[in-house]
Amino acid sequence: MQIHQHIIEFVSDAGEGAQTAGQCLGTVSAKMGNGIWTVEIIPAEVEPPRRSRAGASGNRVRIGSKKITNAGDQADLVVAFNEQVLYSRFDVGAMRDGTIILLDDKWASVDDENIRKEFADAVADFKNRKADIRFVPFESETKKHIKDPRHGKNIWALGLVCAIYDRDLKLAEIEITKKFAKKSQEIVDTNLKLLHAGYDWAMQNTDLRFSIPAEPSDVPKIVVNGNIALALGIMAAGIEVCSMYPITPATSISHYLAEAFPRMGCVVHQAEDEISAIGFAIGASFAGKTPVTITSGPGLALKNEFLALAIMAELPLVVVIVQRGGPSTGLPTRVEQGDLLSALYAQPGDAPKIVMAPSNHEECFHFIITARKLAETFRTPVIVLSDANLATGQQPIPRPNPKTTWFAPPIDQSDWDESVPPFDWDPQTGLSQRPIPGQKNGNYVVTGLAHDQNGRVAYESSINEHAMQARSRKLATLQHALKPPVIHGDPEGGDLLVIGWGSPRGAIEEAVDTLRAQGISVSSVTLKFLSPFEPNLKEIFSKFKHLLCVEINYSDPASFGDARRYSQLCTVLRAHTLCDIDCWSHVPGIPLTPKDIEAAILEHIDQKGIDKP
Amino acid sequence: MQIHQHIIEFVSDAGEGAQTAGQCLGTVSAKMGNGIWTVEIIPAEVEPPRRSRAGASGNRVRIGSKKITNAGDQADLVVAFNEQVLYSRFDVGAMRDGTIILLDDKWASVDDENIRKEFADAVADFKNRKADIRFVPFESETKKHIKDPRHGKNIWALGLVCAIYDRDLKLAEIEITKKFAKKSQEIVDTNLKLLHAGYDWAMQNTDLRFSIPAEPSDVPKIVVNGNIALALGIMAAGIEVCSMYPITPATSISHYLAEAFPRMGCVVHQAEDEISAIGFAIGASFAGKTPVTITSGPGLALKNEFLALAIMAELPLVVVIVQRGGPSTGLPTRVEQGDLLSALYAQPGDAPKIVMAPSNHEECFHFIITARKLAETFRTPVIVLSDANLATGQQPIPRPNPKTTWFAPPIDQSDWDESVPPFDWDPQTGLSQRPIPGQKNGNYVVTGLAHDQNGRVAYESSINEHAMQARSRKLATLQHALKPPVIHGDPEGGDLLVIGWGSPRGAIEEAVDTLRAQGISVSSVTLKFLSPFEPNLKEIFSKFKHLLCVEINYSDPASFGDARRYSQLCTVLRAHTLCDIDCWSHVPGIPLTPKDIEAAILEHIDQKGIDKP
Amino acid sequence: MGETLSFVSFVTKEKASPTHKKEKLMNMTDWTLEPRMREFELGDYLGAAPRWCPSCGNHTVLKCLQKLCKDLNLPPEKTVVVSGIGCSSRLPHHMGTYGFHSLHGRSLPVACGIRARRPDLSIFVVTGDGDCCAIGAGHWLHALRYNMKMTVMLLDNNIYGLTKKQTSPTTPAHTKTNTHPNGAPLDPVNPLATAISMTNASFVAQCVDWLPEHLYNTLLRAQQHPGLAFIRIRQRCPHFMKGHLDAFMNDPNKIQILTDPRGVLPGSLTQTYGTVEHDPTSYDDAMKHARQTDPIPLGLLYLNESALRYDEFTQKGIVTSEEEKLAAIEAELNKFAIL
Amino acid sequence: MGETLSFVSFVTKEKASPTHKKEKLMNMTDWTLEPRMREFELGDYLGAAPRWCPSCGNHTVLKCLQKLCKDLNLPPEKTVVVSGIGCSSRLPHHMGTYGFHSLHGRSLPVACGIRARRPDLSIFVVTGDGDCCAIGAGHWLHALRYNMKMTVMLLDNNIYGLTKKQTSPTTPAHTKTNTHPNGAPLDPVNPLATAISMTNASFVAQCVDWLPEHLYNTLLRAQQHPGLAFIRIRQRCPHFMKGHLDAFMNDPNKIQILTDPRGVLPGSLTQTYGTVEHDPTSYDDAMKHARQTDPIPLGLLYLNESALRYDEFTQKGIVTSEEEKLAAIEAELNKFAIL
Ligand SMILES: Cc1ncc(C[n+]2csc(CCOP(=O)(O)OP(=O)(O)O)c2C)c(N)n1
Ligand SMILES: Cc1ncc(C[n+]2csc(CCOP(=O)(O)OP(=O)(O)O)c2C)c(N)n1
Ligand code: SF4
Ligand code: SF4
Ligand SMILES: [Mg+2]
Ligand SMILES: [Mg+2]
């Protein structure tokens, strides 16, 4: 059967390799020219108990004929090695009526009576919920080729899925060879055998067949997850120092960098804590090497005092925040966009800084390069807000062509013009050049105390007001330099504008496209800059009858009345534009789906009494 | 000459005792039944170089016939021991045409030629600026009674001022005796002699005479500065643990507490840093002893991670922030209201908490008692925002009558009802009772991870949404329980409503009263709660044609256009009400004066084209 | 204003009546009677099932702690287990007592705060090598100095477990980790030496997870200590540090048991391992053993029973009555009275 | 997208041309030539006038540092003085060099970050006893371990000066302070012992502010050290700790000079004070001296010249050319290429 897109999931106990199977399927499909989006399913523990719901590990792979921009709605086909991990997918609403489930039925005949009963009950329950369950002997078939089937059934399952979706086995062989090459040739060979065995078994034992034709691309592409895209961006920006303290889901950026960065002559510094990590970065910045520091929400909470110092002392710095579920330790492996207000407002006093948010993998890469330039030009920290959804999802993007102009130039060590003070604030733009240690006659003292143009401590009212204004003016300057955001849909206006930022963009635009195709007058816009905002927002918003922020963070239901707390972007935009923007926001710990957004848009249109066609 | 009010300043090098003189004058006047407000003039260093502008130390005392609610405008009479420290008062705009300045002229005849010249130049300059300079031989007269006049001329000057303002010398004697009793009887005697000598000198050598009649009060009063009021509130609230790390301008709360708290069987814990200070407080809270932690902006920046944990784990806690000039180290001894946004939004994720701001000394005391009760009832942290202006200014307030009902009750150690989970969120209010260690069957695990009603770690979407809503609902519950704020002026509405919070209240209300007396239709309102807001704000605001926030924090001038950043309360209120609220806010490091606020109101009315009478 | 709460009309139900509370407060002050009255079973100390890797060393530590609680008949409601964040710090969830799973690196401030006004609780702290020696290093030093009564277990697996194999302060140099794929660049911190160096540190011991009897005896000995007992437990992390402690497990010559009447009972260990007499009150000797990395010493390295205890400072006045408090605040207000 | 910065139309002037920068980068790599070319005077190292209390011990330290810079002819633009917050931490403002007056407790992370990629700068760190041993304690331990080349001066006045007399970690027990009006409840931290205990600590010395010659010699010796030189300077705070070091100033028996060819030149001190030979490479002896509080040892207590240096790790690849970098990033991208 020919289809436009399908969502395939692999779920297993941790250590059974469902993640590997999914990644391979994704890469193979991308290489075949399909659009893909993968999402990791990650347990919170390293090796949680087997057969437990919270221990599910795996991968969701959405494959399409065209470009895929998000993780999609419910799954079409699921490979599950036991029924408990499968349950976790039902729990998050990942299944629809008729989802095809390929489940190992070995549990029906194990010795342990409890397990047999659990299995039987679950299967009955799944059937009740209208799942299309088909039993597959993953383990017993795998056992024919390898002693411990826990380390093989993933590849056998991959072979099976390749048969069902008509994937190019040659490409799968390449991926497997790459994956296991580090171990041993024997392991490579065994896995290749398993791949073919799974494939053959499917050809003989099932008539499930789907084909998702690809549209070949004429531009070279790479497949990366968002964290790798950020890491590559860091390298391409010519950043020399990445200073960090491990924290999920940001750490994998530094894992990759720790490996690759030395090849560029650069260094990852793992500090003793987040405070030290940003302090080290700020030291490097003062010394002329604009660095990056990487963290997630709890780490951001610790970096605020130093961030304020960098703002006050006008030291460039790129801060990458990969957002996770909050507040506090929250949901460390899950997605949320809950750190916007904190990024904007966490520092006591007035602390203007630049905040940007990539909405896809390509932007993850390029925003870092922009961020470093902005940090240096505007002599201030730039926060880049990513999230767990971008971080772990894989996507093909056009291969960037790095240029030396993307790099930070070598540090300036020429003599400083003695007549120029270290904070020579331009009255129009607030901008100034900074002396770098080593520059003769540039000698000055960085301080977090209020200071004048010479960097000298100053208590006078007028100096404090002047310096504050100079720092704030930089944001106005940047806003004037930015282009207004682009409307997805109808730039001329309409009934409803959905406003978003960051990773939900793909799902929002898919929902908008679906509804527009049905004649509904809805458009969307994704803000790339959160501080300062891109220009003309009020003007743009005024073309639409209704405005709705869609984001992955908490907001009170409208029933809370006067006390209602709006979602985060919504709050800031209401203050900024005074437009009556409503919000539909949630904290499910998983990406918002296009279907849910569609429903929210329709409901909103209903409530507001807008005619549907 | 009979007057309604006067502002008197004493300025000296640090160590010359101008602060003591001012404090005594204030207390004596308060005891005589006058309204007073004192403001400390504090250098940033411990013992800065003599005769330096930034080293000025002293006190401003505003004395009135009626209640005084703020530091007032420019000074009427200034005692200055040298011309350089006096300069610092000109620098901050504390002088008006005709301010009487009593300056020591010893500098005209010192050996050092430079000093003689500095003095002559300064005097000429001051005269140019229309000051009414009169030379007084503070030092040479003092020398007649004490060897080192640096430790005596302050009391001589106090005697002088007592003569000018017809102060009750008996009361001054009591204050001096109290002040020096700790040292020795000899020192007490010398100072009493100096007091009388100054008094006598004035009677013989100057005809300056002012009388500020007092309206005797029928309620008992105490004279305290804001930090002492907070400290007394902490004691009256029955708080057992104050956990802190020293930071200006909050530290003096703990100095007083460290001395007095043990007499109530309570303890001040000075931690190794701010993170540990709040962690210790949270531990005490978990164990049933709702504590207070005290800090200023830079310390708040460090406490956010733990604050988020307290919110997530629903542990009561009172957090006192005495705001100072920011951002970063900023202006440590100066006033600002720059930490509002940070108090509201600094924690990554959704972190609803209660935020209150006292606007005078009486509220400093009572808000703490309220804060502790709210913290326990709502099972959440309560932030109390004071500032450096309240902190160091002295004012008479009605003497509170502590009751045992203000105290935290002894911790509950009765058996916990096993059927009640540790987070038994009431669906209407979000409230729940918490088990305290020692309560049988209450055993549960506090965690910052997402958790269900039983405190068990949970990753399900629905549980996360439910728990977030329960925590947020508490704010809506509190808002419903609050009364709408009271309008100062005309509750029925008018041309302009000035909106403020915290310490500027007195100056705002004085400005409003002055203008209303001129027939201008202006009123003001002071918000006591910043999270949640008191109810009906939008309704109240809608009765006024124009709205203006007045606060001591940074905002861009209107000329910044679309990129304009509003003052902090203004930003939050715009989002909350969608009313087009303008702002007039500044960061001079000193309190806003009634005159400046008057001018701002008039200018605003002009701009908006409102008819003046 | 003038009257507290006048702007808040909200009233909540008080759960327990004041009399009830007074009665219970008394109970609290004579808490020593409690344990005699009830007998506990191991099941009383079981919480949610552990989710550590199957052969993780943490399992043994959990079991030892549960057995200790049972053998000492500690009332579960009077027992609090505090932790930071990490694999090891999940431990409180697996206990049937009160627990506090706090923030990464911050278990000790929380535990000290709990102790501040509660002499009646038994407090155990679980921390990891990253939690204690990296992000928590400052608190660690100062908690040792505060020396408040509690047992602190450093589960030292020489790696960041929960976040998946980054270098920890105790990771041996050259170990390949995810943040140092070419090998950790520095020699590891020695938590024993640094703990002993801290003024007022009063009890420093070392155990290994695979000798539960000795671990149990150490926990038992720690319970008798009046101040803070710091126990470093060498912990296996088969998932990320496969076999890194095998040498110590397999070669009895690589372990040396410290013996002393004031120390930890060696129990059956003397059958397998060499012993050495060691006076734990000698700083110099303690430091020598602490710095010895092969063989490693097990037992009590350092003991200073006369070290000042900060809880004696924080607990002053704990039984002050409401009447006394009211009198005290009245007296303070009088000092500021003018009329 | 696809092209960086496409949504930003803003362009700024670049101050220096790329060629100019290249040339200067070369200069940086052969920086040792620089000092020969210019002669500096004391005036070159003077910054804003100090605002410390008149007889504060900090004045001497400032003067010693300025003299050192002059005698070593350190180019002011190649010299950076980093500090935290406190009276002592105002020092960078009073130098004519580059300076970084950072945050309370955080001087060391900043200094390490400066060193990370800049072997050409001379780095001095000034910190206080609160700054270093309280809020900065974790960074202090780890900076000792990183052992990056710099001279760290702990100005230990046994009190919080700037915030007006609160107890610091090194305040002696029973001292009356504003936060402990009835006396500090704990014995003071011993910064020397704890510093020595830290793995990889490589240079630990003690000085007093009133013996500037010895202080100068110690700073000089520190300059020759390849790693982090930690110098605790006992500092007078006449304002808040009047006379607290008088005993050491007035009684020569209360001071002992450590001598060794590898140590600090005792200079004229031997005329007044007793000396003791001390092998600074012996951990045990160093620890003994560190723990000795009367008489106090002055000089180099501990030296380990073979300790690993983290700057060798961070500075790898510092001269990589743009072309090499471009090739490397291209190679990385290729690894993810699919088409
Ligand atoms: C502020 C903050 N930073 C970082 C983290 C991420 N984090 C969680 S556990 C951990 C390290 C765990 O290592 P360790 O303390 O040795 O415990 P283990 O898992 O090995 O038992 C880190 C870095 C966090 N939760 N919070
Ligand atoms: C985060 C933070 N907490 C607290 C302070 C207040 N503070 C400034 S200096 C200082 C202590 C100073 O003592 P020390 O480090 O011994 O230096 P000294 O003044 O004695 O030289 C404190 C607590 C601060 N500036 N920042
Ligand atoms: S990763 Fe290591 S420490 Fe964590 S549970 Fe697994 S074995 Fe234990
Ligand atoms: S308070 Fe003490 S440390 Fe600070 S400047 Fe004065 S004497 Fe020096
Ligand atoms: Mg570990
Ligand atoms: Mg000090």
Side-chain angles (χ1 to χ4, degrees), chain B residues 391-404:
Chain B
T392 62
Q394 281 191 297
Q395 216 205 354
I397 63 168
R399 185 189 190 286
N401 292 312
K403 309 181 180 46
T404 52

Side-chain angles (χ1 to χ4, degrees), chain B residues 148-203:
Chain B
D148 179 2
R150 292 193 73 234
H151 296 119
K153 56 186 172 183
N154 59 334
I155 300 301
W156 191 91
L158 176 65
L160 176 98
V161 170
C162 283
I164 295 173
Y165 287 95
D166 193 19
R167 301 289 88 183
D168 183 340
L169 268 200
K170 283 271 156 317
L171 292 174
E173 285 173 5
I174 294 172
E175 287 310 300
I176 287 168
T177 309
K178 227 198 297 187
K179 174 83 195 163
F180 296 105
K182 270 190 214 154
K183 303 208 165 160
S184 76
Q185 187 57 42
E186 197 196 324
I187 293 182
V188 171
D189 293 342
T190 312
N191 278 285
L192 290 177
K193 218 164 28 178
L194 285 166
L195 177 78
H196 284 277
Y199 190 92
D200 295 343
W201 189 92
M203 295 309 273

Side-chain angles (χ1 to χ4, degrees), chain C residues 87-88 128-131 155-162 168 170 235:
Chain C
C87 289
S88 38
D129 41 324
D131 201 59
L155 290 176
D156 187 356
N157 58 1
N158 307 114
I159 198 76
Y160 284 11
L162 189 67
S168 101
T170 65
Q235 179 229 320

Side-chain angles (χ1 to χ4, degrees), chain A residues 46, chain C residues 52-53 56 87 157 235 237-240:
Chain A
V46 172
Chain C
W52 293 307
C53 303
C56 176
C87 289
N157 58 1
Q235 179 229 320
C237 171
H239 200 95
F240 291 124

Side-chain angles (χ1 to χ4, degrees), chain B residues 48-83:
Chain B
R50 297 185 187 175
R51 293 177 46 76
S52 79
R53 293 190 191 193
S57 173
N59 219 314
R60 150 175 286 215
V61 190
R62 187 177 182 202
I63 305 175
S65 292
K66 307 211 172 153
K67 184 171 173 184
I68 297 284
T69 63
N70 66 85
D73 298 298
Q74 282 125 327
D76 297 292
L77 183 141
V78 178
V79 169
F81 292 164
N82 70 61
E83 82 290 352

Side-chain angles (χ1 to χ4, degrees), chain A residues 217-231:
Chain A
S217 152
D218 47 1
V219 297
K221 288 199 172 161
I222 58 173
V223 172
V224 286
N225 69 30
N227 273 1
I228 299 286
L230 289 167

